[in-house]
């Protein structure tokens, strides 16, 4: 019921990144919890507008922003 994704789009192009994010979004809508780590702020911004995801920005071992516009 929980999917952990560590940099799932790290080695793919933008189009494949979008496809993977649509898949993860659909799984979330089906009731799965998705926990994803990424360094790609553009990907976060593009996906956040399509889902009610909570976003945490972690820096230097602590939460820097929570639920803020990135």
């Amino acid at each position: 019921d929980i999917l952990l994704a560590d940099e799932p789009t790290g080695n793919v192009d933008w189009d494949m990144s979008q496809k993977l994010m649509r898949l993860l979004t659909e799984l979330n809508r089906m009731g799965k919890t998705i926990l994803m780590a990424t360094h790609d702020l553009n990907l976060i911004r593009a996906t956040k507008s399509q889902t009610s995801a909570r976003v945490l920005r972690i820096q230097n071992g602590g939460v820097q922003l929570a639920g803020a516009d990135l």
Side-chain angles (χ1 to χ4, degrees):
D1 291 330
I2 298 175
L3 176 66
L4 303 175
D6 185 11
E7 295 284 348
T9 61
N11 291 315
V12 297
D13 63 24
W14 181 251
D15 289 334
M16 183 56 74
S17 293
Q18 292 297 301
K19 289 177 184 178
L20 286 168
M21 293 311 297
R22 282 193 296 271
L23 173 63
L24 293 174
T25 299
E26 183 61 28
L27 288 170
N28 181 249
R29 287 185 182 134
M30 294 169 60
K32 304 298 181 198
T33 298
I34 310 295
L35 178 61
M36 186 181 98
T38 185
H39 291 91
D40 190 340
L41 289 178
N42 291 324
L43 183 65
I44 294 168
R45 290 180 183 122
T47 304
K48 191 172 181 217
S49 66
Q50 302 168 16
T51 183
S52 60
R54 289 190 294 168
V55 177
L56 299 176
R57 185 171 186 175
I58 299 172
Q59 186 173 19
N60 297 325
V63 175
Q64 181 186 31
L65 297 171
D69 292 331
L70 300 174

